[in-house]
Amino acid sequence: MTPHINKVAVLGAGVMGAQIAAHCINARVPVVLFDLPAKEGPKNGIVTAAIASLRKLSPAPLGDAADAAAIGVANYDDDLAELGSCDLVIEAIAERMDLKHALYARVAAHLAPHAIFASNTSGLSITELASGFDDTLKKRFCGVHFFNPPRYMHLVELIATPTTDGAILDSLETFLTTTLGKGVIRAKDTPNFIANRVGIFSMLATFVEAERAGLGFDVVDDLTGSKLGRAKSGTFRTADVVGLDTLGHVIKTMQDKLPDDPFKAVFKTPPALEKLIAAGALGQKSGAGFYKKVGRDIQMFDPASASYVPAGGKADDIVVRILKKKDAAERLRLLHDSKNPQAQFLWAILRDTFHYVAVHAHAIADSARDIDLALRFGFGQSLGPFETWQQAGWLEIANWVKDDIEKGRALCDAPLPAWVFDGRLGVHDEEGSYSAASATSVGPSTLAVYQKQMQRARVGAASNVELGTTLFEDESVRVFALDDVTLLSLRTKMHAIGPGVIEGIGRALSAAASRDEPLVIWSPDEPFSVGADLAAMLPLFMSKGVSAIEPEVKKLQDAMMALRYAAVPTVAAVSGMALGGGLELALACAKRVVAFETYAGLVEVGVGLVPGGGGLTYGARRAAEEHALAPDTYLLDFVKRYFTQAATATVSKSALEARRMGYLVAGDEIVMNSYELLWRALAAARALKDQGFRAPFRANAIEVAGRSGIATISAQLINMRDGGFISAHDFHLGVTIAEVMCGGDLDAGATVDETWLLAAERRAFMGLLNHPKTQERVMGMMQTGKPVRN
C-alpha cells in the first residue's frame, strides 16, 4: 500500500534543500531539515543558519516569514532515528555521485519501511544513484527534481528507475500536484532530464548566437524575455536567479554524459560564465553574476574588461513591432526574412531549439506534450517549442530549418527526423501529443488527481476549451452555467472593473438567484482583478466633471453590497493579483478560495485615491468584530492594522500573508495548485448551499473609534510628514482614510451602519478625485504604469 505523506525530511540544508523544506511549510506539511553537524557551536548550527537565511532571501521562499520556526532541525550524528517517522525523504545535497552514495549508506537503515526516498538531483542518473540499495528500497526510490526557486517554479520532474514501483510514483505525483501545488512531468532517466536538457541547450545556443550577432547581455535579455513570450527575466537574469554554479554543473553534465550528441560542440562553458564562476560571482545568491546592483543602478558584466558596466540596452523598435504581431506565422516569417541583426538572432535561437527538440524528442520524453509543458513550467515560457513551431505553420518552419541545416547556418548538420515531414500539421491535436519514441499519439495522464484540474494545462488545439453553457456574454463579462453552479468571468484587460463588469455582477446574481444556484466569480486567466478601470472613468470625468463620477462609484458600492447580502452563496476564486476594487470584489463574497500565490491589497493611494468600493468599510467592520472578541484591547489597535495597510498600499506576498492581514477569514481556503482553484471553488459553493446558506445580517451597529481615533492617527502622520517620511499629499490621504475608518466626528465607541461608512468612503473618494495632486498621480499611472510620488 502506498503511503499518505504526512511528514517530510529533507537531507541537505543548502539553497535548494532549505527552500524545498520552506515550501513544505507553505503547504502546511511538517518537515525536518537535516545537515552535517556543525564543527563549532551548536551541532544543528548549519541548519539553523540556513533557516535564518530563508527570512532574508528574495524572492521569499516562505509565504509568511514567521513560519520559518516551524521547520524542524536535525543533524546526521544525532537525529537519524527521526527519519523513521517520515513518509517522504528528499535528498538535496551537492551534485556528486560519491557524496550522495555515502549519505545513502548512512541513512538507508533509518528509513521507514513504507517511506518514499527521492533525490533532488538536477541531472545525475537516478538508476546509478539507486545502485547499492536492496530490492525493497529500490522500489521506493526515484528522482524528484524541483526547479529553483522551489516555491515559485511550477515544474517538478519525476524520474523513475527500471525498478521503481509505479504506485509509489502515482502517490508522489499526487502529493506534489495537490499538496505542494506543482506541475509534475515524468521524465526519462537521461542526462539533465527534459527541462534542463532543452532549456540549458537553448541558453548555450543563445550564448553562441548572441556572440555571432554581437549583442550584449542586456539586449539579449530584453529580446528573450516577455517580448518573446518567455520569463520576464530573459536569459542571463534567469541564469543569475538559478545560480551560475548550478548552470555550470548542468553544462558539465551535458559535456560528460552526452559525448555522442550531434550538438556536443555547443556543450561548453562560455568564457564569460567561466570568468564569473572563478570570481565567485554566482548570481543572485552571491550578489553579482551577469548583473549586479550598485545603489539603485543595474550594472552588467563586460567579458572584455572583466568588469561591470552600465546596463540598459534594449531591443530595436522594428523587432519589438514584429514581436507584437499576434499571428505566429507572420511573426516568425518576419523574423526569418528580416536583415536586422536582432531579428536574425531571434530566428536563429528559435530554429536551434526546434532543431534540437526534433532530433532528441524520442530519447528525452514520452511525448511532445511533456517537452512543451516542461519548458512552460520550468522556464516560464508561454508556449513550448513544439507549440510555437506548430502555431507558426509546421511544414514551412520545418523547411526553413532544413534549409538552414543544409546551408551550414545551424549549430550542427544533424538532419531533422523523417517524422517531421510525414505529412503532419504538428504534434498536438485534440486526441493527444506525438511520441517520437513510439510513433503514436499519447494522451495526458489519467491519474485521479487531475480530475481536480478542470482547466488543466493544455497544449495545441486542446488549449481553447471553454467550460459550461453561456447565459450571457459581452466584452466585459461572461456569465455561464456549469452543472449546478452559476459563474461570472471577467473579460476586461487585467480584469479591471468598469461599468460593464458592475452591470455583469448584477446579471450574474440575477441568473444565480433565478436558477437557485450559488455564484462563483472565477476567470480562466489571471489576475483576479487589478481594480477600478481608470481609463473607462476618464472620458466621463473629462466631459462632465467629478459630479458625474459619484453615481458610478455608488453603483460599484451597491454591486458589492448586493454580493455581500445575496440570498445565494457567493464564492470568489482568487488567483494572482487582487488589488483595490479587485480585493473589494473578493471581500464582498461570502467565501474566498484563494490560490497560494495571491497578491492582495488596497492600493488606491498609489493614484492619490482611497478605496471606494467598500474596502475601508470592510476594515472598520472587521476591526469592530475583532474588538468584540477581545474587548480589553483598544478598538483603535484593531483599526490601525487595516488603516496602515490601506494608507501604505500594502500588498500581501502570498495568501498566507493575506490571511494575516485580515483579508482572509475563518472558513476561507488556500489552494496550493492554481489549476485546482475552480474545482475547489465549486465544491465550496455547493457545500455552502447544502449547509443551508443564509446571508449575514446587515451590519447596523459597527463600533468606531471616532474623533479621538482620528486625532491619534493624525498625530502619528504629522510626525512622519515633518520627518520627511511622507509627502504632504500622503499626509492628506492618510488623514482622509482615518476619518472614514474611524467613523468621522463621533465619540469613541459610537456605532454606525455600513451605509454611513460607505457614504463617507464615497465622499472621500470624490473629494480626492478633484484634488490636483491626485489628478497628477492618476495621469502619471495611466501614462507610465508607475506610481507618482508627489
Side-chain angles (χ1 to χ4, degrees):
M1 186 174 72
T2 57
H4 182 74
I5 298 172
N6 295 309
K7 183 179 179 182
V8 175
V10 178
L11 309 181
V15 173
M16 283 299 290
Q19 292 195 59
I20 291 169
H23 195 59
C24 288
I25 292 298
N26 288 336
R28 295 321 194 229
V29 177
V31 64
V32 58
L33 182 60
F34 281 78
D35 211 300
L36 294 166
K39 294 180 180 178
E40 298 179 357
K43 292 187 76 174
N44 288 326
I46 293 174
V47 175
T48 55
I51 293 172
S53 73
L54 292 172
R55 298 173 181 267
K56 304 172 187 176
L57 289 178
S58 180
L62 289 158
D64 189 335
D67 288 339
I71 300 174
V73 297
N75 68 79
Y76 302 130
D77 277 2
D78 303 329
D79 305 307
L80 289 180
E82 191 163 352
L83 292 174
S85 65
C86 297
D87 309 299
L88 170 63
V89 178
I90 301 172
E91 169 270 304
I93 68 169
E95 291 286 86
R96 280 178 48 183
M97 189 73 70
D98 59 334
L99 294 179
K100 291 180 186 289
H101 277 152
L103 179 61
Y104 297 173
R106 194 171 183 182
V107 304
H110 298 275
L111 300 175
H114 69 276
I116 301 172
F117 191 26
S119 174
N120 183 56
T121 177
S122 60
L124 297 178
S125 168
I126 305 302
T127 303
E128 190 175 347
L129 285 171
S131 64
F133 290 157
D134 62 35
D135 290 344
T136 302
L137 186 52
K138 279 184 177 180
K139 290 181 179 179
R140 294 183 280 117
F141 183 76
C142 62
V144 55
H145 179 211
F146 288 82
F147 270 59
N148 188 26
R151 169 184 165 184
Y152 300 95
M153 299 308 296
H154 191 55
L155 178 64
V156 171
E157 291 174 314
L158 192 57
I159 310 100
T161 74
T163 55
T164 305
D165 185 342
I168 288 290
L169 291 175
D170 290 349
S171 178
L172 184 53
E173 182 167 353
T174 298
F175 170 79
L176 293 167
T177 301
T178 286
T179 306
L180 297 191
K182 295 303 171 186
V184 177
I185 300 295
R186 295 205 186 185
K188 295 185 178 183
D189 191 10
T190 56
N192 293 340
F193 314 128
I194 299 174
N196 271 343
R197 178 77 174 268
V198 178
I200 300 304
F201 165 80
S202 183
M203 279 188 167
L204 291 171
T206 299
F207 270 104
V208 172
E209 303 294 0
E211 188 173 356
R212 287 180 179 178
L215 303 179
F217 300 138
D218 50 358
V219 174
V220 170
D221 278 350
D222 194 46
L223 287 166
T224 61
S226 55
K227 292 182 176 69
L228 196 62
R230 297 184 177 180
K232 184 179 179 181
S233 53
T235 300
F236 300 107
R237 283 188 178 87
T238 296
D240 277 352
V241 171
V242 170
L244 302 192
D245 52 343
T246 300
L247 178 60
H249 172 80
V250 175
I251 293 171
K252 189 173 189 310
T253 300
M254 296 176 84
Q255 293 170 344
D256 295 344
K257 301 295 184 179
L258 298 168
D260 300 323
D261 193 305
F263 294 83
K264 64 183 178 182
V266 182
F267 302 161
K268 56 185 179 182
T269 307
L273 181 60
E274 281 188 330
K275 290 180 182 178
L276 288 167
I277 293 173
L282 304 179
Q284 182 174 277
K285 61 187 173 186
S286 66
F290 286 106
Y291 299 92
K292 73 174 181 179
K293 192 172 184 180
V294 180
R296 294 186 176 182
D297 299 324
I298 300 296
Q299 295 189 349
M300 171 183 71
F301 182 67
D302 174 33
S305 63
S307 62
Y308 286 85
V309 299
K314 298 291 183 181
D316 291 343
D317 288 344
I318 188 173
V319 179
V320 173
R321 289 197 295 272
I322 291 172
L323 294 176
K324 286 183 177 179
K325 298 289 184 182
K326 291 185 178 180
D327 182 74
E330 181 184 10
R331 191 165 60 245
L332 263 70
R333 177 181 57 77
L334 290 171
L335 291 175
H336 176 265
D337 295 347
S338 175
K339 301 303 181 186
N340 180 283
Q342 292 184 9
Q344 292 176 346
F345 159 77
L346 287 175
W347 160 249
I349 63 170
L350 290 169
R351 173 205 64 211
D352 295 340
T353 303
F354 297 156
H355 188 189
Y356 192 80
V357 295
V359 168
H360 291 296
H362 71 286
I364 64 174
D366 289 331
S367 73
R369 177 183 186 275
D370 289 344
I371 293 174
D372 279 342
L373 290 184
L375 271 293
R376 280 164 52 178
F377 293 168
F379 281 81
Q381 298 184 8
S382 58
L383 293 174
F386 281 122
E387 288 179 288
T388 302
W389 182 350
Q390 182 168 325
Q391 280 196 11
W394 182 266
L395 185 58
E396 185 171 40
I397 296 295
N399 282 324
W400 288 346
V401 175
K402 179 175 181 287
D403 185 58
D404 278 3
I405 294 169
E406 292 172 348
K407 291 180 178 176
R409 298 176 185 144
L411 294 180
C412 79
D413 59 3
L416 290 173
W419 61 262
V420 171
F421 298 99
D422 65 3
R424 66 181 53 253
L425 298 176
V427 291
H428 304 300
D429 58 33
E430 293 184 0
E431 301 301 320
S433 298
Y434 183 69
S435 168
S438 62
T440 59
S441 181
V442 176
S445 171
T446 57
L447 203 61
V449 68
Y450 294 110
Q451 294 176 12
K452 299 178 183 179
Q453 297 190 9
M454 302 180 69
Q455 282 291 93
R456 187 174 179 180
R458 295 178 171 89
V459 291
S463 62
N464 299 317
V465 176
E466 191 171 75
L467 296 173
T469 302
T470 299
L471 303 176
F472 169 80
E473 63 182 333
D474 61 15
E475 61 183 9
S476 296
V477 300
R478 177 180 178 236
V479 180
F480 61 103
L482 187 58
D483 298 325
D484 53 352
V485 179
T486 302
L487 289 97
L488 169 67
S489 288
L490 277 56
R491 287 180 162 177
T492 52
K493 183 178 181 181
M494 302 292 283
H495 300 157
I497 300 171
V501 171
I502 294 170
E503 182 181 346
I505 293 170
R507 283 182 174 269
L509 280 170
S510 295
S514 67
R515 298 165 64 87
D516 190 27
E517 293 178 348
L519 174 66
V520 170
I521 302 176
W522 167 86
S523 300
D525 55 334
E526 293 183 356
F528 180 72
S529 173
V530 295
D533 188 348
L534 294 176
M537 185 188 300
L538 189 61
L540 187 62
F541 174 74
M542 296 297 291
S543 64
K544 297 185 178 180
V546 173
S547 60
I549 302 299
E550 185 168 7
E552 301 306 313
V553 178
K554 181 65 165 58
K555 288 178 184 177
L556 173 64
Q557 291 183 343
D558 289 346
M560 298 303 181
M561 289 299 101
L563 278 171
R564 173 163 167 73
Y565 295 109
V568 297
T570 56
V571 175
V574 184
S575 183
M577 293 180 288
L579 304 178
L583 176 56
E584 290 170 324
L585 179 61
L587 295 176
C589 292
K591 183 169 183 171
R592 285 139 296 280
V593 177
V594 183
F596 182 82
E597 296 300 340
T598 290
Y599 313 102
L602 298 172
V603 297
E604 286 84 354
V605 295
V607 289
L609 292 168
V610 297
L616 300 184
T617 299
Y618 172 85
R621 176 173 58 80
R622 288 287 296 132
E625 291 169 351
E626 291 166 3
H627 177 243
L629 297 174
D632 292 337
T633 304
Y634 289 116
L635 171 61
L636 189 60
D637 290 342
F638 297 103
V639 173
K640 280 182 178 179
R641 173 170 65 151
Y642 295 99
F643 161 81
T644 302
Q645 289 166 183
T648 59
T650 303
V651 176
S652 72
K653 297 180 179 65
S654 70
L656 293 177
E657 279 198 2
R659 173 170 282 163
R660 181 162 51 80
M661 293 166 71
Y663 296 142
L664 301 186
V665 297
D668 290 343
E669 300 177 26
I670 295 176
V671 181
M672 294 304 295
N673 196 320
S674 61
Y675 287 108
E676 296 181 3
L677 184 67
L678 177 58
W679 184 83
R680 289 277 295 271
L682 293 173
R686 291 178 181 125
L688 285 174
K689 186 174 189 297
D690 291 344
Q691 292 160 11
F693 171 82
R694 291 287 177 180
F697 290 121
R698 298 258 170 190
N700 292 325
I702 300 170
E703 185 183 4
V704 293
R707 67 179 72 88
S708 62
I710 297 170
T712 301
I713 293 174
S714 296
Q716 295 170 348
L717 291 171
I718 288 170
N719 290 335
M720 294 179 71
R721 180 196 62 193
D722 293 349
F725 296 103
I726 60 175
S727 70
H729 195 48
D730 290 329
F731 171 79
H732 178 57
L733 288 163
V735 172
T736 302
I737 293 171
E739 289 173 346
V740 175
M741 296 188 71
C742 293
D745 188 17
L746 299 171
D747 293 335
T751 60
V752 299
D753 60 16
E754 278 178 314
T755 302
W756 173 283
L757 291 169
L758 287 168
E761 203 174 303
R762 196 164 62 250
R763 287 193 301 271
F765 185 91
M766 304 311 303
L768 287 165
L769 193 58
N770 218 19
H771 197 293
K773 291 292 186 181
T774 285
Q775 292 172 9
E776 287 176 15
R777 291 193 183 190
V778 171
M779 295 306 297
M781 177 64 76
M782 293 181 66
Q783 291 170 0
T784 68
K786 297 179 180 178
V788 173
R789 307 313 303 175
N790 58 359

